[in-house]
Amino acid sequence: MGMYAVKTTASQERTVADMIMNREESSVHAALAPESLTSYVMVEADDYAILERVLDEIPHARNLVPGESSIAEVEHFLSPKPDVEGIAESDIVELIAGPFKGEKAQVQRIDEGKDQVTVELYEATVPIPVTVRGDQIRVLDSEER
């Protein structure tokens, strides 16, 4: 059993992965279409030749990349990265959701366990700390850059 890379038409990765799994081929075990991997689908199958045959009948599947990949090469696609990753204290952010949408703020504290960020609004007369989810902010300016 091995992990294989399938070249696809751009923006058709999800479709190709779904079609591969809908074929119900017993020797094809899984298909992965990570958002960060453009024009490729990773497929776990028993055999290169069987996968090649399955792909012949799937539109948007261009070709099979020669050789096998290891699980180590794809495991970073399997665990979701936290929304607060890449955010640092004192970064300038914009709130993109919630009641303060459109407001600019400075990051005061990051709670990676809860995937939350405490920010202080810029335009506020009195500095008020506001805790928001990591997916509700967008970094505008970072001290490290």
Side-chain angles (χ1 to χ4, degrees):
M1 185 157 55
M3 196 59 107
Y4 302 97
V6 177
K7 179 91 170 113
T8 67
T9 307
S11 311
Q12 296 296 321
E13 303 88 356
R14 178 100 240 128
T15 309
V16 170
D18 289 343
M19 286 178 171
I20 290 170
M21 291 318 297
N22 288 339
R23 300 222 37 93
E24 294 181 14
E25 178 70 48
S26 63
S27 58
V28 176
H29 304 289
L32 175 69
E35 286 181 25
S36 55
L37 192 62
T38 312
S39 299
Y40 286 95
V41 173
M42 300 306 295
V43 181
E44 185 180 29
D46 287 339
D47 187 284
Y48 187 89
I50 292 169
L51 184 55
E52 224 171 15
R53 185 175 45 87
V54 168
L55 293 177
D56 282 344
E57 302 165 21
I58 294 179
H60 305 296
R62 293 283 161 250
N63 57 351
L64 196 49
V65 176
E68 222 175 280
S69 298
S70 69
I71 193 74
E73 290 178 289
V74 294
E75 70 183 347
H76 67 278
F77 294 123
L78 301 176
S79 56
K81 73 178 180 93
D83 291 320
V84 296
E85 194 173 286
I87 300 172
E89 286 183 17
S90 79
D91 278 358
I92 307 302
V93 296
E94 178 185 4
L95 285 97
I96 56 172
F100 299 106
K101 183 177 179 176
E103 294 283 331
K104 289 180 179 46
Q106 185 170 25
V107 176
Q108 300 300 315
R109 195 171 53 251
I110 300 166
D111 185 341
E112 288 189 22
K114 292 182 181 172
D115 211 14
Q116 293 180 336
V117 179
T118 302
V119 297
E120 212 167 80
L121 300 176
Y122 256 174
E123 274 88 47
T125 322
V126 179
I128 305 167
V130 178
T131 302
V132 295
R133 290 195 331 257
D135 63 349
Q136 293 184 334
I137 60 173
R138 177 172 60 98
V139 177
L140 296 175
D141 191 23
S142 179
E143 292 290 313
E144 284 88 63
R145 288 182 202 131

